[in-house]
Amino acid sequence: MSEGRCLCGNIRFTADGPPKWTSYCHCQSCRRHTGAPVSAYAGFEAAKVRFSGGALSTFESSPGVRRGFCGRCGSTLTYEGDRWPGEVHLHVGAFDDPGALAPTGHAFADERLPWLKL
């Protein structure tokens, strides 16, 4: 079981079992959503993720894509998309132990910033 939260602690989450996958995402939408040069996600079956505390706010950033965040502190928490039905992608940085979720792949690597070396 993995746990995490937003910056202010208003929203907590629990993910049962290991993630299906972990990956960096280099797409421009993730960069704009997080303000970071790259995002790191862990993908879980939606049925294995529970939220508690405050309600997750969502924003449809493009057709079929919903990004979740804390409405109080603004922390980026989730990505859900029609391309991956039944999955919730949780931002690795929001986990209590992000060191245990090292990314093993790259999504949208063609959008990688030229100066980013991983």
Side-chain angles (χ1 to χ4, degrees):
M1 178 173 63
S2 301
E3 297 180 314
R5 67 177 180 87
C6 65
L7 181 62
C8 72
N10 184 48
I11 298 175
R12 291 203 58 83
F13 62 85
T14 302
D16 293 329
K20 294 174 72 174
W21 53 264
T22 56
S23 183
Y24 291 107
C25 184
H26 298 276
C27 80
Q28 183 181 54
S29 292
C30 283
R31 286 198 304 270
R32 290 189 186 278
H33 184 63
T34 64
V38 66
S39 295
Y41 289 98
F44 290 88
E45 291 179 34
K48 295 184 177 187
V49 177
R50 294 178 309 284
F51 292 92
S52 61
L56 190 68
S57 296
T58 59
F59 173 71
E60 188 172 345
S61 59
S62 56
V65 173
R66 294 160 305 286
R67 296 175 184 274
F69 60 96
C70 174
R72 183 188 291 170
C73 67
S75 293
T76 299
L77 297 171
T78 68
Y79 170 99
E80 293 181 79
D82 292 349
R83 291 173 72 180
W84 297 276
E87 286 188 12
V88 175
H89 305 169
L90 298 165
H91 282 267
V92 168
F95 281 89
D96 293 342
D97 184 14
L101 297 163
T104 59
H106 294 267
F108 300 100
D110 58 323
E111 295 184 43
R112 181 185 304 187
L113 294 173
W115 49 261
L116 182 64
K117 307 295 183 221
L118 295 174

